[in-house]
Amino acid sequence: MASKPPETWRAYMADTAREVAAGTLSPECADVADLYPESLLRATDAALEVFEDGVRALRRPSDEAVVGAVERVVLALNAIDRDEQHGGPHFCTEEREQLCDYIDLTLSEHGVDVAALAARRGIDRAAITDRWRDW
């Protein structure tokens, strides 16, 4: 099963904290708590769980059903990214790529041929989220 991006972000924060504790990284260079506040991590995890559950429930899904699942998760992630309770926009280039990869991998793990779906829609596989994505 694909690893959710917030797991990667939590691991990065833990690694950074270990480096500071070991004295190999200056505390001034290690201010990662602002990058990934817990509220952002929890909200992102929840949105991705809903996406996984929805994809898992699809049986012989139509293109429209798969695209609908992608649209819903992207719109949920847009709302999370804009939510001021998390301190403003957080999904930058690296996070965006991780989220898009996660969506693609989750679909693939549940039997969706993402490349074929994208081709039928006249888009590149990497653009499957682009229609709705603000982050």
Side-chain angles (χ1 to χ4, degrees):
M1 174 159 262
S3 175
K4 288 185 189 74
E7 293 171 16
T8 302
W9 305 337
R10 284 184 178 99
Y12 171 70
M13 290 190 308
D15 289 345
T16 301
R18 279 191 290 278
E19 289 178 31
V20 170
T24 59
L25 183 65
S26 166
E28 295 82 31
C29 298
D31 193 14
V32 295
D34 290 341
L35 291 177
Y36 306 115
E38 189 58 34
S39 62
L40 175 83
L41 298 171
R42 281 193 312 272
T44 305
D45 272 333
L48 297 178
E49 265 309 310
V50 169
F51 171 67
E52 282 179 15
D53 291 346
V55 171
R56 191 177 302 113
L58 297 175
R59 301 286 182 245
R60 295 187 190 167
S62 65
D63 286 358
E64 290 73 26
V66 173
V67 169
V70 172
E71 178 182 9
R72 285 187 295 278
V73 73
V74 170
L75 294 176
L77 293 168
N78 285 347
I80 292 164
D81 187 52
R82 287 188 306 262
D83 191 334
E84 289 301 319
Q85 81 169 344
H86 312 306
H90 285 281
F91 301 143
C92 298
T93 301
E94 186 174 339
E95 291 83 9
R96 179 185 73 231
E97 290 173 1
Q98 291 172 0
L99 289 165
C100 289
D101 288 347
Y102 176 81
I103 291 167
D104 185 299
L105 185 56
T106 298
L107 292 171
S108 296
E109 286 177 347
H110 289 87
V112 175
D113 184 340
V114 179
L117 170 67
R120 287 190 297 274
R121 301 191 71 81
I123 60 173
D124 184 80
R125 178 181 190 149
I128 194 132
T129 63
D130 288 359
R131 181 173 174 193
W132 310 280
R133 185 167 44 83
D134 292 336
W135 31 273

